[in-house]
Amino acid sequence: MKNNKLNKILGILTGLAGSVLLVLVGFLVIRGSHLSDIFDFSDFFGRETTPAYTQEPVTVPVDTVPAVTTPPVPTTPAPTEPPEIKYSTRLRVGVKTLEGNFDPFADLSDGDEDLMKLVGINLLTRDRAGKVIRMASEGEYSYYNGTRYLYTGPADISVDYDATANETTYTLKLKDGIFFSDGVKLTVDDLIFNLYVRLQPNFSGSGNLRSYDIVGLKNYYYNNSLAESIEILDEDIAAELENPGEEVSAYIRKIIADTLYAEAQQSREIWSAYAALGYGNSAEEFFYNIYGLDMNYNLLNKSLDEVCQDVTDSYGLNYQLLAEKYAVNANYFDDRINDFTRETLLLRRMNEEGGEPVDYISGIVRIGEYTVKLRIKGQNSDALYELFDMVIAPLHYYGDAMQYDYESHKFGFEKGNYQLPEKAKAAPLGAGPYIFVSYDGQNAYLKKNETYYKQTSDIEYLSLHACPEDMVTRISNDQIDIAVLDGSRDIYESMKAVNSNGELVGDKLYIEEIPDLGYYYIGLNAERIKVGEDPQSEASRFLRTGLLTAISTFKDIAYRDFFGDSVRIIDYPVSPFFGLTPKGSEYETAFSRDMSGNVFYQASDDVITRYNKCIDVVKAYLQAAGYTYNENTGKFTAAPAGASLRYEIMLNGTIQDGHPSYDILAYAKAVLAQLGLTLDIRYVNSSDNMLVYLFQGEADLWCAAWNCVGDPNFNTHYGSSQQTNLYRIQDEALDSLISDYQLLSVSED
């Protein structure tokens, strides 16, 4: 019943997930223009820019746009060859959505975000694998697939960790000579303005900057010089929750009331689908059978709102009881309530102890016209990707230059009261490769910025066109020139059909596949699936290998049935995006060998062939793990101590949605059932709940996905000492390999 928004924690996405290692591939479809430095696709993905094909001139509704003539369209070549390459000075780009929201501090739609990146510049420079380039102003080399490439950008960044103080200092030095498109020079004051807007107590826009423990931020946030020196202990929180005061009680009641109200409203929509299962013959009965506490409660003549209010009152302050019924987890609301209680106690202590008002963040230090230092408590390898990952909004245009004076602690707006200027809402301004010209409610028009600090594009005029539903049709009909689409069976088939040769590259369209910066996978908790008390014992490894063999044997068949050609199956956890797979070699298919080390099935084998072979291999692994097998029934009848005949795998979503991983699990469930084991497939229809289960180690197996920031994050995922190691892997050899990789990843060797 729960329908919460996707909660991104530590890069874990638990939406409709996929396989042990599945990369969803996107399309890059090019038609009609030479693609140069516009989107930096060639730099980012490590490919030479591919010129596209001739098009008729596109009329842009702007008086300043001169007429452009193009050579005549050449005769259509043979179906198996692309047409003759011609260049154009115009490019029409298809985007999914374009809402005309040009706020550089807000969460934007795909198209609006693309536009802001074209008009502005991002402080971070990344290499082909998404890693941050530290010395970008003069240029720095980085390797990708064994080839060295030079990268340049707007800033140099250095990182220094002081172990004694447990503090990391990030120093950013801007390149001298960068100008906004209106001729005003970009300086560190523009960056400081951007930082303070994003660090306002009432800021609700994009980015995660406030989650980092910037020195002085807490004092600034609470406007009290004592905030950082006051420590609220876990024991203090526990004592308050034993006998909560007025503020905490009100917050708990609100969480209970909001949760139950949302569930009651959803009961109206879905109760009939569950009536046959005995949940009740009305929305009121359905809701009460799940959340009601008094079995003698009389539902007669009660409206759903009345029932909801009575149920809410019956819980009082017992949020853990509600959590049990709502999420099958008594600790589900703990983080929210503990955070609120901690803040309440902090405010109470500050009121008692006094303190002075604070109007600046001491950890943001201006050093000259082009350099700023940012001091962060602790050490976090991912912080660099968040702290400066922003398109710089010019102070003089988005703020009030008259209210900026760093020494006087004035940062371009009244503290706690930043508002986007009206002129900026209609027309964004930045230092990027393009200048905003106009927006007509559906399409946005840009022209080349001749003062761009890097080499300017050979595309004079660029337009973004919203194509929420008909992207494939519009590019097929030559209404747009380039689009980026998510891969799917339907899109692949429809795009290939446009070319007379039925391939990705043909006489009409050129389609380039780009791997995603992440992958779908199936995970397993080694501490829950083990024999005896030792997860690393040989028997425990045999058990896990048996279960994963039952799953992995069918993954390529199941996913290709679901996704068609739009999926790339990988067998080990790193996206092809990072270029870590050596050229000319392929990894071995995971879990494809029997107890003797022989490969037991071939890629060409069908489902039945694999199924029959898989039965014997899984049986052997489970016998080696200590399971008791009955030759007469052909089934296992008992599990060794610490193991089980029943395991559960969680999927995020609902039965009605149709999950990409379901067919894999159905095959595995059949294999295990024939051997006497049960694999329960459990749908978790709230991503919040899924995350709770994973982080608290309450899932045997699960389907989820990693979304990387700019690094494979091997240590985050698999390091023995990491709380984010959901698989509970404890392996010194693996830790050593991860450490070696981290050193090599920052080396030019």
Side-chain angles (χ1 to χ4, degrees):
M1 291 176 63
K2 295 159 277 294
N3 187 26
N4 301 323
K5 291 184 177 179
L6 189 64
N7 186 7
K8 295 183 180 178
I9 299 179
L10 299 171
I12 301 174
L13 304 180
T14 54
L16 286 183
S19 93
V20 183
L21 319 169
L22 164 67
V23 175
L24 183 61
V25 177
F27 283 109
L28 175 62
V29 185
I30 305 174
R31 176 174 179 162
S33 296
H34 175 47
L35 192 61
S36 179
D37 198 26
I38 300 169
F39 295 102
D40 289 329
F41 280 143
S42 61
D43 279 351
F44 198 62
F45 296 108
R47 300 182 176 88
E48 293 299 321
T49 300
T50 305
Y53 317 126
T54 304
Q55 66 166 12
E56 292 299 321
V58 181
T59 302
V60 180
V62 180
D63 294 339
T64 57
V65 177
V68 176
T69 58
T70 58
V73 178
T75 304
T76 302
T80 57
E81 298 179 1
E84 178 186 354
I85 295 172
K86 297 290 184 180
Y87 298 134
S88 171
T89 60
R90 304 172 184 272
L91 188 71
R92 301 165 299 176
V93 180
V95 294
K96 292 180 182 177
T97 56
L98 191 63
E99 300 173 355
N101 179 12
F102 305 132
D103 183 348
F105 304 111
D107 281 314
L108 303 178
S109 68
D110 291 340
D112 293 337
E113 185 175 358
D114 289 340
L115 184 145
M116 296 302 290
K117 289 178 179 178
L118 290 164
V119 170
I121 59 171
N122 194 302
L123 285 175
L124 291 186
T125 302
R126 299 173 185 257
D127 68 5
R128 284 163 168 76
K131 186 175 63 178
V132 171
I133 296 296
R134 302 287 184 90
M135 306 300 291
S137 63
E138 296 300 325
E140 179 180 324
Y141 286 97
S142 179
Y143 284 84
Y144 185 85
N145 272 341
T147 302
R148 192 172 77 155
Y149 297 91
L150 178 66
Y151 298 89
T152 60
D156 296 336
I157 303 174
S158 62
V159 183
D160 299 294
Y161 175 64
D162 183 344
T164 303
N166 190 26
E167 186 175 295
T168 305
T169 298
Y170 297 85
T171 302
L172 183 140
K173 183 178 181 181
L174 288 168
K175 182 181 180 70
D176 187 3
I178 300 177
F179 292 84
F180 294 108
S181 59
D182 62 354
V184 177
K185 200 171 196 178
L186 189 156
T187 72
V188 75
D189 295 317
D190 296 292
L191 171 55
I192 292 173
F193 160 70
N194 279 259
L195 290 173
Y196 270 92
V197 170
R198 295 174 183 275
L199 292 171
Q200 288 303 293
N202 61 343
F203 181 73
S204 59
S206 65
N208 200 30
L209 195 60
R210 279 203 317 233
S211 67
Y212 292 95
D213 198 357
I214 300 172
V215 174
L217 175 58
K218 195 172 182 180
N219 290 349
Y220 179 79
Y221 185 90
Y222 291 106
N223 196 30
N224 190 295
S225 59
L226 297 179
E228 291 190 2
S229 63
I230 297 174
E231 184 179 9
I232 305 299
L233 303 175
D234 290 343
E235 304 90 88
D236 300 328
I237 295 173
E240 174 68 17
L241 291 175
E242 281 289 329
N243 185 25
E246 183 178 343
E247 302 100 323
V248 174
S249 296
Y251 183 74
I252 292 173
R253 287 194 179 95
K254 186 176 188 308
I255 283 182
I256 292 174
D258 290 349
T259 302
L260 289 171
Y261 179 79
E263 293 295 280
Q265 301 316 304
Q266 199 165 22
S267 295
R268 284 195 172 100
E269 302 173 8
I270 67 174
W271 72 268
S272 58
Y274 294 86
L277 300 177
Y279 279 90
N281 296 313
S282 67
E284 292 78 10
E285 285 187 24
F286 177 77
F287 174 76
Y288 198 85
N289 285 339
I290 296 176
Y291 291 105
L293 301 180
D294 180 5
M295 292 302 99
N296 296 317
Y297 182 79
N298 187 359
L299 285 165
L300 188 64
N301 298 324
K302 294 280 185 73
S303 69
L304 182 59
D305 288 342
E306 290 174 322
V307 174
C308 180
Q309 185 61 58
D310 291 342
V311 171
T312 299
D313 293 341
S314 71
Y315 279 91
L317 297 177
N318 196 344
Y319 63 89
Q320 291 181 320
L321 178 58
L322 175 61
E324 281 279 9
K325 292 181 175 293
Y326 178 76
V328 200
N329 183 340
N331 301 316
Y332 179 77
F333 297 114
D334 284 5
D335 286 346
R336 291 163 59 186
I337 290 174
N338 288 348
D339 287 345
F340 181 85
T341 304
R342 187 183 303 277
E343 184 172 49
T344 300
L345 294 177
L346 174 62
L347 293 171
R348 193 179 298 169
R349 288 272 301 277
M350 287 190 299
N351 289 334
E352 293 170 355
E353 299 180 23
E356 299 296 326
V358 176
D359 59 1
Y360 76 107
I361 301 169
S362 58
I364 300 177
V365 184
R366 185 185 191 274
I367 303 175
E369 190 175 6
Y370 299 105
T371 305
V372 66
K373 288 183 180 290
L374 200 57
R375 296 164 50 216
I376 309 292
K377 295 179 182 179
Q379 187 178 26
N380 187 321
S381 60
D382 292 337
L384 181 59
Y385 294 90
E386 290 275 3
L387 297 176
F388 301 114
D389 186 12
M390 63 182 75
V391 174
I392 294 300
L395 163 65
H396 71 278
Y397 189 76
Y398 288 92
D400 183 353
M402 299 299 294
Q403 292 193 58
Y404 185 89
D405 185 339
Y406 176 81
E407 297 299 333
S408 301
H409 302 164
K410 297 168 63 178
F411 303 106
F413 58 95
E414 181 182 348
K415 179 184 176 182
N417 191 33
Y418 175 77
Q419 294 182 350
L420 191 72
E422 287 298 323
K423 62 179 180 181
K425 293 179 181 179
L429 177 72
Y434 282 86
I435 300 173
F436 177 83
V437 176
S438 67
Y439 172 66
D440 62 12
Q442 186 173 7
N443 311 304
Y445 301 92
L446 312 176
K447 64 180 180 180
K448 183 169 69 173
N449 179 9
E450 299 290 354
T451 64
Y452 182 49
Y453 81 105
K454 298 177 74 172
Q455 179 181 359
T456 57
S457 169
D458 50 4
I459 301 296
E460 295 281 347
Y461 303 101
L462 186 150
S463 54
L464 301 181
H465 302 262
C467 312
E469 298 176 352
D470 59 346
M471 189 92 73
V472 174
T473 300
R474 295 187 67 176
I475 200 165
S476 301
N477 293 338
D478 197 20
Q479 296 173 300
I480 55 177
D481 305 311
I482 181 172
V484 179
L485 307 175
D486 291 333
S488 72
R489 175 191 287 273
D490 290 343
I491 288 177
Y492 255 74
E493 292 176 353
S494 60
M495 297 300 286
K496 284 183 176 182
V498 176
N499 289 326
S500 59
N501 62 359
E503 301 295 337
L504 295 180
V505 177
D507 56 334
K508 299 292 185 181
L509 301 177
Y510 179 96
I511 303 169
E512 181 85 5
E513 296 176 304
I514 301 171
D516 197 358
L517 192 59
Y519 53 86
Y520 298 123
Y521 72 96
I522 289 176
L524 177 154
N525 186 329
E527 289 183 353
R528 293 181 66 90
I529 301 182
K530 62 184 179 181
V531 175
E533 297 299 323
D534 183 9
Q536 303 306 321
S537 69
E538 185 177 53
S540 295
R541 292 172 186 262
F542 284 144
L543 167 56
R544 293 194 292 269
T545 302
L547 294 178
L548 292 174
T549 298
I551 293 172
S552 183
T553 298
F554 307 99
K555 68 179 183 298
D556 57 331
I557 291 178
Y559 282 127
R560 294 199 189 284
D561 282 347
F562 190 94
F563 291 106
D565 292 334
S566 69
V567 64
R568 182 179 303 181
I569 307 294
I570 60 176
D571 281 285
Y572 297 91
V574 60
S575 166
F577 179 89
F578 293 106
L580 296 177
T581 305
K583 289 183 177 179
S585 67
E586 294 183 0
Y587 285 122
E588 177 180 298
T589 300
F591 304 105
S592 61
R593 294 184 181 272
D594 61 20
M595 287 284 295
S596 300
N598 301 314
V599 174
F600 70 89
Y601 73 91
Q602 304 299 320
S604 58
D605 289 345
D606 59 18
V607 169
I608 298 301
T609 302
R610 295 190 194 199
Y611 182 88
N612 292 329
K613 293 178 179 179
C614 185
I615 291 286
D616 293 332
V617 174
V618 174
K619 170 188 170 184
Y621 277 117
L622 294 180
Q623 284 179 315
Y627 278 73
T628 302
Y629 186 73
N630 186 317
E631 294 289 349
N632 294 325
T633 62
K635 296 182 183 296
F636 289 103
T637 57
S644 176
L645 289 171
R646 179 185 297 271
Y647 288 103
E648 180 181 78
I649 185 163
M650 295 183 179
L651 293 79
N652 190 202
T654 65
I655 296 175
Q656 293 86 352
D657 292 334
H659 198 287
S661 295
Y662 181 80
D663 282 354
I664 294 178
L665 304 183
Y667 291 134
K669 184 180 179 73
V671 168
L672 295 172
Q674 184 163 330
L675 291 170
L677 277 74
T678 299
L679 179 65
D680 284 330
I681 301 174
R682 177 182 174 188
Y683 283 86
V684 181
N685 58 0
S686 163
S687 56
D688 289 339
N689 293 350
M690 188 78 159
L691 289 164
V692 171
Y693 293 135
L694 297 187
F695 277 101
Q696 294 190 349
E698 297 181 3
D700 298 331
L701 300 100
W702 64 90
C703 297
W706 281 114
N707 184 33
C708 305
V709 178
D711 184 277
N713 295 324
F714 292 131
N715 189 51
T716 300
H717 300 351
Y718 311 112
S720 296
S721 62
Q722 299 297 314
Q723 290 184 339
T724 47
N725 178 351
L726 304 178
Y727 323 99
R728 303 300 193 265
I729 297 172
Q730 303 290 320
D731 192 309
E732 292 182 1
L734 180 58
D735 291 338
S736 178
L737 289 170
I738 291 172
S739 178
D740 290 344
Y741 168 76
Q742 289 177 316
L743 292 174
L744 288 170
S745 67
V746 296
S747 169
E748 284 199 10
D749 186 353

